[in-house]
Amino acid sequence: MNLDINALKHHQLVEDGQLEGCYIHQPVAGSQEDDETVLAEAQALEKLGYKVVQVQAKRGTTTFAEAMQELALKTGHQPKN
């Protein structure tokens, strides 16, 4: 897969804060974590050395803040309280 880092379809770069430089995938309709294109994109990002985290939506919706909190916990960027 040729990866255009500026045209990602399923992952978003965290551009500031404690998680700067990580990529997050938040499932939405047509972009579930087990989809072949999502997996290929995540694997390509990981091969480039980026941290990639899948975030499970709860009750169909997850706020960006909730996704960032889950990513921080999974990557060890903040203590688990």
Side-chain angles (χ1 to χ4, degrees):
M1 171 181 194
N2 286 335
L3 182 70
D4 180 355
I5 200 87
N6 297 312
L8 297 173
K9 294 181 180 179
H10 306 287
H11 295 83
Q12 180 178 0
L13 176 64
V14 179
E15 296 185 20
D16 60 4
Q18 293 178 312
L19 302 174
E20 183 176 358
C22 294
Y23 280 86
I24 187 169
H25 171 248
Q26 184 173 348
V28 294
S31 181
Q32 298 303 312
E33 68 182 59
D34 59 350
D35 290 343
E36 189 174 308
T37 57
V38 174
L39 291 173
E41 190 174 277
Q43 290 170 352
L45 285 166
E46 288 171 345
K47 285 181 183 178
L48 292 172
Y50 292 103
K51 183 74 175 175
V52 178
V53 175
Q54 306 287 344
V55 178
Q56 294 297 319
K58 63 180 184 182
R59 288 174 270 152
T61 61
T62 299
T63 66
F64 186 74
E66 289 169 331
M68 289 295 95
Q69 182 178 8
E70 185 172 335
L71 177 59
L73 290 172
K74 286 182 179 181
T75 60
H77 281 82
Q78 70 184 27
K80 295 179 182 179
N81 292 339

